[in-house]
Amino acid sequence: MFMNKFKYLFTYQLKKRILSKAFLISNAIIFVVLVLVTNINNIARQFEPSQDGEKILIVDETSLSALEDLNTIYKDNYQNGIITHGGIFFEKADAYDETLNTPTLILRMEGDLLKADLHKFKLSQTNTQVLSLSVSHLARHYFLSDKTEEEIGLIEDFNNVGIHALTIHTLEEDSTVREVLSVFAMFLSIPIFMLIMMAVQFVGGSIVEEKSSKAIEYIIANVSPQQHFFAKIFTSLIALVLQTLLILAYGLVGTLVSVLISNTSNSSGAGDLLTNALGLDITIINSLISYLPLTIIYLILFGGFGGLLLMVIMAFVASVSTTNEEYQQFQSPMMFIVLIGFYGGMFGTMLGSANIFIKVMAYIPLFSPFMVPSLYLAGSFMWWEALISLIILFASVIFTYKLIMPMYKQSILSYDTDKFMKRVKKAFKSKNA
């Protein structure tokens, strides 16, 4: 009988949560925003000059009009060739400027063979392949242009002429990759904060609403305080997990749309697809892909347990409140503490793994849900450090529940108007009585 009433209360609360206009409207907005964010590179391309593809600066040190010859070879042989790529175009530069965030190709002659150096390697994989073929073609052309057929016949290893003409100077260290991942990690704490706050507000607001309308008396007459507590907590926890999965799905849809718009379906792999679609370096994309699976797992686990911890605490705060104004007033200190964790997650990634203060903060259960997923993605936390923090968070949830549940039973039907801490003391004494 009681189980049927609990099931009814749980189902009612869940429907009220996920079928509400606020939930549906907010998800529609989140979906549109995520699709726009993941396609920001494609949107930016619409405002670029009419030239298609990625720009490469050419420093010609050959005195042979190599820029014009390279452009001709690329257009005649590779622009619409069998290798599907995003397209490249060339612009002349007087010298290599390392401060520019643009791939730069330096062409020079070593004897009768063309050599080239590619700096600031931020081209997609297929565009780099096409550029290498174009340079090799040009090197072969220059090498053979002034030779007779007899001389060409005497060349050993003829088929390999010009094949190694291009030298690619990739990132010397992963500092740039780490900086980009840190930027991603900074913004990772934002959806976690929003999701947890939405769940907490629903739990507290729902309990206070029932208390202020005296509906709680009818509910507790039919179900136990513990069943009422679990119905509230599990409803919001399921909604929290569902919302997290929806956001991940929205991000995936946005990325797929970006890939389709970029027309990179014939690229060589997932990393190349994302490189062309999002306009990021292949090294960065590969690093992001390698971190992504465990980051998503930690995002869900820390979001779930962190939300559960805060919901248990705020459910008790709501149970000792008699009006919504009181609840808002009492929850302010807790929200201040949560904001510390939020800002720690946003800006802690900038301080690096050597900052002991940030690392210690990430083991504190009220801060870890907002900090650990971001710190892991930024490389400031190892996977085992994140796991230790998760175990501490889980243990804190169990301890907090065992501490608060008896007090919740005593305070849920109380309309005491004493000061907040006095109400807490009374609830604590009552549960030990």
Side-chain angles (χ1 to χ4, degrees):
M1 181 68 174
F2 275 108
M3 198 61 195
N4 289 335
K5 290 180 179 179
F6 170 77
K7 183 179 179 182
Y8 172 79
L9 180 61
F10 174 76
T11 306
Y12 171 77
Q13 293 287 346
L14 186 60
K15 288 181 179 179
K16 183 180 178 181
R17 180 75 176 93
I18 65 176
L19 296 181
S20 65
K21 289 183 179 179
F23 184 84
L24 297 176
I25 292 173
S26 63
N27 269 274
I29 295 173
I30 292 172
F31 175 74
V32 172
V33 170
L34 281 178
V35 171
L36 290 176
V37 168
T38 50
N39 282 274
I40 194 167
N41 190 58
N42 292 317
I43 296 172
R45 285 173 184 162
Q46 304 305 313
F47 299 94
E48 291 179 347
S50 58
Q51 304 213 49
D52 295 326
E54 297 179 273
K55 180 171 69 174
I56 301 174
L57 297 178
I58 305 295
V59 179
D60 187 358
E61 299 178 351
T62 66
S63 69
L64 293 174
S65 302
L67 170 57
E68 291 77 7
D69 294 336
L70 179 65
N71 194 41
T72 300
I73 286 175
Y74 167 69
K75 288 183 176 179
D76 291 346
N77 297 278
Y78 301 106
Q79 187 171 40
N80 299 307
I82 60 172
I83 300 177
T84 302
H85 62 291
I88 55 179
F89 63 93
F90 308 113
E91 284 189 7
K92 183 178 180 181
D94 295 327
Y96 168 53
D97 185 352
E98 62 181 8
T99 63
L100 295 177
N101 194 27
T102 306
T104 302
L105 186 70
I106 301 175
L107 300 171
R108 67 185 189 281
M109 296 298 297
E110 292 184 1
D112 55 357
L113 189 63
L114 177 76
K115 292 290 185 179
D117 294 282
L118 178 63
H119 293 271
K120 289 288 185 181
F121 180 42
K122 290 185 178 295
L123 289 174
S124 64
Q125 197 169 358
T126 47
N127 279 352
T128 303
Q129 182 182 1
V130 169
L131 178 63
S132 180
L133 289 172
S134 300
V135 171
S136 296
H137 192 137
L138 180 61
R140 185 185 181 93
H141 169 72
Y142 282 164
F143 182 79
L144 300 177
S145 61
D146 59 347
K147 292 179 173 56
T148 64
E149 291 185 5
E150 290 77 10
E151 290 174 324
I152 293 174
L154 296 174
I155 297 174
E156 295 182 6
D157 202 15
F158 173 79
N159 292 327
N160 291 327
V161 172
I163 196 170
H164 300 299
L166 180 65
T167 301
I168 300 173
H169 300 272
T170 58
L171 298 172
E172 295 180 357
E173 52 180 325
D174 68 345
S175 59
T176 302
V177 176
R178 187 55 56 202
E179 287 174 6
V180 176
L181 290 182
S182 295
V183 172
F184 278 100
M186 278 182 63
F187 294 102
L188 190 62
S189 59
I190 296 177
I192 301 176
F193 178 78
M194 291 176 59
L195 289 169
I196 291 179
M197 288 302 98
M198 287 170 61
V200 169
Q201 287 296 334
F202 174 77
V203 169
S206 178
I207 293 174
V208 171
E209 180 185 349
E210 290 171 357
K211 283 197 71 172
S212 60
S213 66
K214 303 296 179 67
I216 191 67
E217 298 177 6
Y218 173 79
I219 296 173
I220 298 302
N222 290 276
V223 297
S224 68
Q226 189 171 10
Q227 288 175 321
H228 178 259
F229 178 85
F230 278 124
K232 295 292 184 184
I233 296 296
F234 286 154
T235 297
S236 286
L237 185 62
I238 290 174
L240 174 63
V241 173
L242 176 62
Q243 185 69 81
T244 303
L245 294 175
L246 285 174
I247 287 178
L248 293 174
Y250 298 158
L252 179 61
V253 169
T255 303
L256 291 175
V257 170
S258 181
V259 169
L260 291 174
I261 292 176
S262 299
N263 193 26
T264 57
S265 58
N266 291 323
S267 298
S268 58
D272 198 37
L273 287 173
L274 293 175
T275 299
N276 289 320
L278 302 180
L280 296 175
D281 180 70
I282 184 65
T283 311
I284 295 170
I285 289 295
N286 288 337
S287 296
L288 186 60
I289 290 175
S290 67
Y291 274 88
L292 202 55
L294 197 52
T295 300
I296 292 175
I297 292 173
Y298 280 143
L299 177 67
I300 295 173
L301 292 177
F302 275 96
F305 288 130
L308 189 57
L309 175 63
L310 287 172
M311 283 187 285
V312 169
I313 295 173
M314 298 314 295
F316 172 67
V317 172
S319 72
V320 297
S321 306
T322 55
T323 64
N324 190 56
E325 289 74 17
E326 278 189 344
Y327 173 70
Q328 295 298 330
Q329 180 183 355
F330 296 155
Q331 77 167 344
S332 297
M334 180 59 67
M335 293 303 100
F336 179 75
I337 294 173
V338 168
L339 279 173
I340 295 176
F342 169 66
Y343 286 120
M346 278 209 68
F347 302 111
T349 57
M350 300 168 58
L351 301 177
S353 58
N355 194 290
I356 302 299
F357 178 71
I358 293 296
K359 280 208 164 189
V360 171
M361 281 184 63
Y363 287 107
I364 299 175
L366 289 175
F367 302 151
S368 61
F370 310 101
M371 296 183 64
V372 174
S374 298
L375 293 176
Y376 171 74
L377 181 59
S380 300
F381 243 46
M382 301 296 289
W383 69 267
W384 56 268
E385 292 176 302
L387 183 60
I388 292 174
S389 181
L390 183 64
I391 293 172
I392 295 173
L393 175 60
F394 177 74
S396 299
V397 172
I398 302 299
F399 172 79
T400 305
Y401 166 73
K402 289 185 176 296
L403 175 67
I404 281 179
M405 188 64 239
M407 296 194 294
Y408 181 86
K409 292 178 181 178
Q410 299 297 326
S411 60
I412 190 64
L413 290 176
S414 173
Y415 292 92
D416 201 337
T417 57
D418 287 336
K419 291 184 178 180
F420 177 72
M421 288 310 299
K422 234 178 185 182
R423 301 181 201 180
V424 174
K425 288 179 182 178
K426 283 183 179 180
F428 184 78
K429 289 178 180 178
S430 298
K431 70 109 176 175
N432 290 325

